[in-house]
Every structure is written in structure tokens, then in C-alpha cells.
Amino acid sequence: MKKIFKHTLPALIACPMMLAACSEWTEPESITLRYPSIEEQNPELYAQYLESLNNFKTSEHSIVIVSMNNLSTAPANQSQHLTTLPDSVDYICLNNIFDVNEMHITEMDEARKKGTKVLGLINFDAIESAWQAILEKEAEDASNTETSEKENELESENETPDEDPAIVNARRFIEYCKKETARQLDAINALGTDGIVINFTGFDLNSLLQDEEKTVAETARQGAFFNLLTEWKAAHAGKEIVFKGSPQNVIGKEILVESKYIIVNAHSAKNLYEMSYLVLMASAKGVPTDRFIIGVTTPYLSNMGDQYGMVNGRSAIVAAAEWTLQEVPDYIKAGISVDGVEQDYFNPTKIYPNVREAINILSPTAK
């Protein structure tokens, strides 16, 4: 035992000295393992795959559109990358068009190599919500001051104090809507997307029947939005338009004719029958019925606690694919649209499990 101790003691003493010396030589560095991609391993085979994929997307098949709530910052995980989406996705819509990070701009080109088109969201509903917030803030300020900011603006514009505030606000909204729509289109042009998704809900036009004054007012209100889009389309003939929302509530149906697809928002549908009902409601006079896409979402809870994105206790994405395959005589089902697609990424066994299952249902040969 003494002999062993005699030989080990110097070694024990030397260890701290060696460690101290090593720490002076170099700083420890993490090792990054890099695995070659399929493209690098077999470029010829990958080129054949891309050719086959592009041929598939130009063929007649059920369309898959996904929208992503893209962050302005660089992707923090794989769910935020465009390149991790299933290759068979036809369109990717970026909901945030004002501040797209450089990584996504680069990945837009990578997606295009696979025949995937990247669109940007033009959102009337967001414009309308922002305007309502402005009016609420003005009302709050007016209640706390003797003379509101709005009244000062009216005086500066030589408008009479007795003018109906509703008429004034309607006129103000038209100018605000034009400005915000132009701002969105400028962002689209700078981003260089392959087209746009127009999000418009509106309200039931039946409420305007036999009320000419309201009809004229709503026509002007919608015109502030859609007229600029029509002009944009005329100036960008190679770009695509996809309508999303409630097409039956659009007064000027020409923009729907210009749209390649019409997404009917079915976030609230609890079964396949409700999906069919929503599409039938959308099939108003003047609405093209040969290009309907059923719009669903990944699961989420509304502010009121209502559950969306589930149909009969399962993913609405998969249910939408099954609904699409059920042929009907009244209209054509062109495919599905999935909102919040990044939320479908996380799964311990397979990424984007519901989107992939839906693709397999719609196009069993697709990958």
C-alpha cells in the first residue's frame, strides 16, 4: 500500500499543475458536428428529385397552402424555418411582411427551387382593427379633455362642428385604409414575393338591401382597399392573388375572379358538415365556385376560451384533407389552407405530423 501511495502521490500533485498549464495554453471550444445534406451527398439524385417535385406542383393536384407567423428576429428553432416545411407544400404565406429577417429572405429562394411559391399577407381585417383602436383612443382622450384632438383637426379643416361624426369617421377611415393598404403593398414589392394573400372578412351584405345610402358608403369603404389591389395586380401581371376570408361579403367581385384560389375561413367548423355549410354560404352570386380552398388552423384558444383547430376531437388539418376528397356537384374543392403552421412542427416522432398526414391523404405519391 505504501508503495502504491509512493507512486500515485506525485501523479496527483502533477494533475492540477497540468490542468493549470492547459488552461493557459488554450480555451476549450465546443465541437460542431456537421452532417452533409442529401444535395451534397448525391447532387445528381437530388436534382432528379427537384425536377420530379416541380413537375408534381405544375400538375393537377390538391393544393396545400400554409401561413406562418414569421418573426422579425432570426429563427430560434427549426419550426421557424421555411426550409423545414414539407417539400410538397405549394404556397407559404408570410403574415409579417414589414420586418422579415434575412434568413427567411434567403430561404424564400430555397423554397422556390422546390416549386413552392412565397406570398405575403395583405390584411384588411388588421387595418379595420387598428382603426377601431384609434377611434377608441380618441374617445377616451375626448372624455378627459374639454376639447378633443379630433375637434381641433376638424376646425383646422374648416369642417362644421355640427357634421355627423359617423360621416366624418367614415371619410377618415377611407383615407386611413388607402394609406395602410399602400404601405402593405410597398412592403410586398420590397420583399419580392410571388404574390399576395388578401384577408377580408367584412359583414353580411344582406343588411344593406334596400338601403342605398349604406350601400354607397360600404362600396366606398371597400373600394379604398380593393381598388389599390386591382391596380397592383394590373401592374404585376406575373404575380398571383389568393383571396382569404368571406368572399360573399365583397361588393366588387372582380377581385375574386382575379384570384387564383379562394380560401374560405373555417376555423370555427366543428365537423365536416360545417365546412360544407361555410363554403355554400360563400358561394354567393358572382363568386367563382371552381377554386375553393378550405381554411383551417392549428389548435388555439380564443380570448373567449373557444377552441379552434379541432374537428370531432382531432386535428382540423387532417379533417380538411378528408373533406376535400369528398366530391360535390355545386363547387370544386381545390385543396386546404393551414394557418399557424409552425405550431404543427413539434412532435417527438415526426415533424409537421398533421400537415404531412393531410398531404398523404390528398396526394399519396407526394413526399
Side-chain angles (χ1 to χ4, degrees), residues 18-84:
M18 294 172 63
L19 289 174
C22 288
S23 65
E24 293 175 359
W25 293 338
T26 182
E27 291 292 330
E29 295 182 1
S30 61
I31 299 176
T32 301
L33 298 178
R34 182 181 180 280
Y35 299 97
S37 64
I38 297 176
E39 182 179 7
E40 293 171 322
Q41 293 179 40
N42 195 326
E44 184 177 351
L45 184 62
Y46 186 69
Q48 293 175 5
Y49 168 72
L50 288 182
E51 181 181 5
S52 176
L53 188 60
N54 278 268
N55 289 339
F56 165 74
K57 291 187 179 180
T58 56
S59 68
E60 185 176 344
H61 66 284
S62 293
I63 299 299
V64 176
I65 302 173
V66 300
S67 73
M68 174 181 289
N69 298 312
N70 54 299
L71 303 177
S72 59
T73 55
N77 58 61
Q78 290 298 304
S79 71
Q80 297 171 15
H81 285 277
L82 307 186
T83 50
T84 60

Side-chain angles (χ1 to χ4, degrees), residues 88-363:
S88 296
V89 166
D90 295 280
Y91 294 88
I92 302 171
C93 177
L94 300 179
N95 291 341
N96 171 22
I97 59 173
F98 291 112
D99 194 9
V100 181
N101 67 74
E102 291 297 326
M103 181 67 75
H104 280 158
I105 293 175
T106 300
E107 291 181 345
M108 285 169 60
D109 290 332
E110 292 300 313
R112 291 185 177 111
K113 293 178 182 178
K114 302 174 183 178
T116 302
K117 295 182 179 180
V118 182
L119 310 175
L121 183 66
I122 302 295
N123 199 341
F124 178 86
D125 291 2
I127 293 174
E128 197 169 41
S129 295
W131 176 248
Q132 289 303 317
I134 290 173
L135 293 182
E136 290 172 7
K137 180 65 167 58
E138 288 179 351
E140 181 182 350
D141 292 344
S143 66
N144 296 326
T145 59
E146 183 176 348
T147 303
S148 70
E149 180 180 350
K150 177 182 165 222
E151 290 172 339
N152 290 332
E153 290 177 356
L154 292 178
E155 291 175 4
S156 67
E157 295 172 5
N158 297 320
E159 302 206 29
T160 62
D162 295 332
E163 189 170 11
D164 187 346
I167 296 176
V168 174
N169 285 336
R171 187 162 56 244
R172 291 176 62 206
F173 172 76
I174 288 174
E175 294 307 312
Y176 177 80
C177 185
K178 287 179 179 178
K179 182 185 72 173
E180 289 301 305
T181 304
R183 191 168 74 95
Q184 292 185 20
L185 289 173
D186 286 343
I188 286 291
N189 293 336
L191 188 57
T193 64
D194 301 301
I196 58 176
V197 173
I198 303 171
N199 186 55
F200 177 89
T201 300
F203 61 86
D204 187 1
L205 296 181
N206 289 324
S207 62
L208 302 180
L209 293 177
Q210 298 179 347
D211 192 326
E212 184 176 351
E213 186 176 338
K214 288 184 178 179
T215 300
V216 171
E218 178 61 15
T219 301
R221 201 175 78 99
Q222 292 192 19
F225 180 66
F226 288 114
N227 289 348
L228 289 179
L229 299 180
T230 300
E231 293 173 6
W232 179 87
K233 175 59 177 172
H236 299 81
K239 305 289 186 177
E240 294 186 12
I241 291 180
V242 175
F243 180 88
K244 179 181 183 180
S246 301
Q248 68 271 29
N249 296 337
V250 178
I251 292 177
K253 300 293 195 293
E254 296 82 5
I255 195 69
L256 301 175
V257 177
E258 290 287 340
S259 300
K260 188 164 186 178
Y261 301 105
I262 297 174
I263 302 172
V264 177
N265 190 343
H267 287 200
S268 62
K270 302 301 180 185
N271 52 59
L272 302 189
Y273 297 105
E274 289 188 14
M275 290 183 181
S276 297
Y277 173 76
L278 290 169
V279 175
L280 285 173
M281 291 296 293
S283 304
K285 182 179 179 181
V287 176
T289 58
D290 61 345
R291 60 197 73 176
F292 281 132
I293 299 275
I294 195 72
V296 294
T297 179
T298 52
Y300 71 91
L301 287 175
S302 70
N303 294 333
M304 302 297 293
D306 297 321
Q307 174 74 60
Y308 293 98
M310 301 296 292
V311 171
N312 293 329
R314 63 196 182 113
S315 169
I317 301 171
V318 177
E322 295 174 349
W323 176 88
T324 301
L325 293 186
Q326 298 176 358
E327 294 186 6
V328 292
D330 302 317
Y331 52 87
I332 293 177
K333 301 176 180 181
I336 68 172
S337 172
V338 180
D339 287 337
V341 68
E342 67 276 9
Q343 298 301 322
D344 191 50
Y345 176 89
F346 301 100
N347 187 278
T349 57
K350 185 198 306 184
I351 64 172
Y352 294 110
N354 294 301
V355 173
R356 290 184 183 279
E357 184 176 351
I359 290 173
N360 188 56
I361 292 171
L362 294 170
S363 305

